[in-house]
Amino acid sequence: MDTTANRQHLKVLGSGLLGLILTIGIARFCYTTLLPAMQAEAGLSDLGGGYLATINYIGYMCGALLAATVGNLKIKDTFYRAGLIIAVITTLGMALTNNIWLWGVLRFFSGLSSASGMLISAGLIMNWLLRHGHRPELGIHYAGAGLGIIVSGLAAELMIGHLDWREQWLAVGVLGSLIAIPAWRWLPRPDTSHQTTAGQRLQDNPPSRRWFILLGIMYFCAGYAYVISATFLVAIVEAQPALQGDGQIVWVFVGLSATPAVILWDRVARRLGELNTLLIAFLIQIIGIILPALNDTLWVVLISAVLYGGSFIAIVSLVLAMAGRFYPTKPAKLMGRLTLLYGIAQIGAPAIAGIIADQGGSYADSLYIAAAISVLGAGMILILKAGEQRELALKTA
């Protein structure tokens, strides 16, 4: 590969990575790290915090719906670039009001921008990779989600005690505006032809209806299991008297685990197959989710953060990469459909967790529920594996 082509390849991957730091790490996950400050200084309740998270996921689901229904790559490119701008505006806007209804509007559009980074940019980047003869893996792209978690956690840790909740939102908004510039500039406008640069034709290969239903149920379960910790992990840690002040550090450990994990999971999938790798990731996620409910010592919570961070991002990366390979001409189409199911789970889960915590004073029951639903998701993978083995047996008979 010549130097110019290699530089272009790195820029494309870098644009997606930075876009995820902005749309997921800052626009989405800074809410997780700044939630305790908003509760302490702005009077936001557990119930209100849960509802705002739910509204955020409604926005995310609407973005997934756009990704699933719009096939034109040029329109999707416009949506992605608009998402970068919206991510900055909605982050800065959180500092300009303490009205929960306005916060809800901002969290909705923040969720919309998150979908543009997680799905639409992933589809655009996978399309570019396929056209230019690169391996169609999204590990490096989704490392941006892990880096975004680190950014949100470190930013909050550095600002606590120095800035109030409004100033913290303004600070991360300014940081996001700087990140948006290369995220915008480094991604080329999409090629809408159905051929690679080597002249090979790109052809879609849709999965069977049964396969899609089973994978969809599995991804729904993954979405529910993921969102409880994604929304409330810092608050869960800070609610423990012995762990007060450690919430941001625990969150950083989630990001430190997630960042390299997606690249490593790509390599594991090459050796073991995608379904086997997904099953392992689910089992690790179950352990990571449930540990804080069983033991509240710091080292156990840190292990939980590492297991959770390294597994949830693997599930997302592997599933969406699988989906993209079924539709090389429009990768975000199936990605968006699956994410609608992922998003539906995320709409109800934070509100349910907020109600449970508001009434019982603890998030432990919500963690148990999330782990149980994750077990159901692992069961769907076993059914998919059994189906694959039957098909293989029929072909070799």
Side-chain angles (χ1 to χ4, degrees):
M1 186 185 296
D2 62 55
T3 303
T4 302
N6 187 52
R7 188 182 300 116
Q8 178 74 354
H9 182 210
L10 292 175
K11 277 189 170 184
V12 169
L13 292 175
S15 70
L17 187 146
L18 290 172
L20 275 183
I21 291 175
L22 170 58
T23 60
I24 298 293
I26 291 177
R28 161 64 187 96
F29 283 131
C30 275
Y31 176 74
T32 299
T33 57
L34 301 186
L35 179 57
M38 294 176 71
Q39 290 177 317
E41 300 173 21
L44 183 63
S45 67
D46 287 334
L47 187 60
Y51 281 137
L52 287 179
T54 292
I55 291 168
N56 182 258
Y57 289 116
I58 292 173
Y60 186 82
M61 192 176 73
C62 289
L65 184 62
L66 279 175
T69 55
V70 177
N72 187 293
L73 288 177
K74 290 186 177 180
I75 295 175
K76 287 188 174 182
D77 180 71
T78 300
F79 282 154
Y80 168 63
R81 295 175 194 278
L84 296 176
I85 297 171
I86 292 169
V88 173
I89 292 172
T90 55
T91 301
L92 291 169
M94 290 295 290
L96 304 181
T97 181
N98 61 356
N99 183 294
I100 193 166
W101 299 106
L102 292 178
W103 277 341
V105 172
L106 291 168
R107 296 314 295 159
F108 173 85
F109 283 101
S110 171
L112 203 63
S113 77
S114 296
S116 76
M118 199 74 172
L119 297 172
I120 295 177
S121 75
L124 293 169
I125 287 168
M126 177 166 275
N127 182 272
W128 189 93
L129 292 173
L130 288 165
R131 289 181 187 281
H132 290 80
H134 298 289
R135 190 183 293 274
E137 294 173 344
L138 293 174
I140 293 176
H141 173 71
Y142 284 118
L147 285 172
I149 291 172
I150 295 172
V151 168
S152 67
L154 287 178
E157 183 67 20
L158 292 171
M159 293 185 295
I160 288 173
H162 303 286
L163 303 177
D164 64 23
W165 70 270
R166 292 181 187 275
E167 292 166 338
Q168 290 179 37
W169 276 111
L170 286 173
V172 294
V174 170
L175 176 62
S177 67
L178 297 176
I179 292 171
I181 297 170
W184 178 296
R185 290 173 59 88
W186 290 352
L187 184 65
R189 298 290 179 174
D191 182 350
T192 56
S193 70
H194 284 189
Q195 286 188 330
T196 69
T197 53
Q200 297 173 321
R201 183 165 181 80
L202 292 173
Q203 289 185 320
D204 295 334
N205 180 34
S208 70
R209 181 177 177 81
R210 177 181 180 275
W211 187 95
F212 176 77
I213 290 172
L214 290 171
L215 191 73
I217 295 171
M218 179 271 288
Y219 207 45
F220 174 91
C221 294
Y224 192 105
Y226 146 80
V227 75
I228 299 299
S229 294
T231 303
F232 297 110
L233 182 59
V234 175
I236 290 169
V237 173
E238 292 293 337
Q240 304 298 328
L243 299 179
Q244 286 184 0
D246 293 324
Q248 312 302 339
I249 296 300
V250 171
W251 187 246
V252 168
F253 267 75
V254 173
L256 287 172
S257 173
T259 302
V262 280
I263 301 169
L264 296 175
W265 283 109
D266 276 345
R267 301 187 187 284
V268 174
R270 284 183 224 168
R271 294 177 62 87
L272 302 182
E274 288 169 325
L275 290 180
N276 287 329
T277 306
L278 272 172
L279 182 60
I280 294 169
F282 257 87
L283 296 176
I284 292 173
Q285 184 184 57
I286 292 165
I287 298 170
I289 288 170
I290 208 167
L291 276 178
L294 301 175
N295 191 301
D296 61 0
T297 57
L298 181 59
W299 69 270
V300 170
V301 176
L302 289 175
I303 291 172
S304 167
V306 169
L307 296 178
Y308 167 74
S311 58
F312 93 79
I313 197 67
I315 294 168
V316 170
S317 176
L318 290 168
V319 169
L320 295 186
M322 287 169 62
R325 283 193 286 274
F326 281 113
Y327 288 93
T329 66
K330 42 185 179 294
K333 192 174 185 67
L334 184 53
M335 290 180 184
R337 290 178 183 175
L338 287 168
T339 302
L340 280 172
L341 296 171
Y342 198 78
I344 289 169
Q346 293 176 66
I347 288 173
I352 293 169
I355 292 169
I356 292 172
D358 204 47
Q359 293 179 349
S362 170
Y363 290 103
D365 289 341
S366 295
L367 294 175
Y368 287 125
I369 294 170
I373 290 175
S374 198
V375 170
L376 176 62
M380 295 301 105
I381 299 173
L382 291 174
I383 295 173
L384 282 168
K385 280 176 51 62
E388 277 195 351
Q389 290 169 357
R390 281 196 301 272
E391 288 180 11
L392 183 62
L394 289 171
K395 288 178 181 178
T396 56

